Amino acid sequence: MWPAIVFGLHRDGVVVEFGDFAEGVIELADLGGHKVDHPGEVVEVGDSIYVRVLSVDTERQFASLALEPEQDETP
């Protein structure tokens, strides 16, 4: 799980910055456990979120990501 910042919303997904200034995309299908028509239903630009890395294309320096569910911080 990596902390990330949302910096772009597109009709097909969310662009985030995570790790050491790496960028990645969360596709609509990977934004949660329910159908999402637009990423703005789940996140907004500037949100701090957690992501899981699904795959990395080192040639294109591109990562496919999934949104991690919010963690309950109570013990």
Side-chain angles (χ1 to χ4, degrees):
M1 185 166 43
W2 292 85
I5 302 292
V6 175
F7 73 89
L9 300 179
H10 303 281
R11 66 183 168 101
D12 296 328
V14 177
V15 181
V16 301
E17 185 175 272
F18 71 104
D20 293 329
F21 304 103
E23 293 180 5
V25 172
I26 306 170
E27 294 184 6
L28 286 180
D30 297 315
L31 277 175
H34 61 284
K35 183 177 178 343
V36 175
D37 293 319
H38 187 274
E41 298 172 18
V42 180
V43 295
E44 296 179 10
V45 172
D47 282 356
S48 294
I49 60 173
Y50 285 95
V51 297
R52 179 172 28 99
V53 177
L54 300 176
S55 66
V56 176
D57 181 338
T58 54
E59 281 186 25
R60 293 181 12 200
Q61 297 180 342
F62 175 84
S64 292
L65 308 168
L67 179 66
E68 284 289 327
E70 289 187 31
Q71 301 296 312
D72 185 5
E73 296 182 19
T74 58

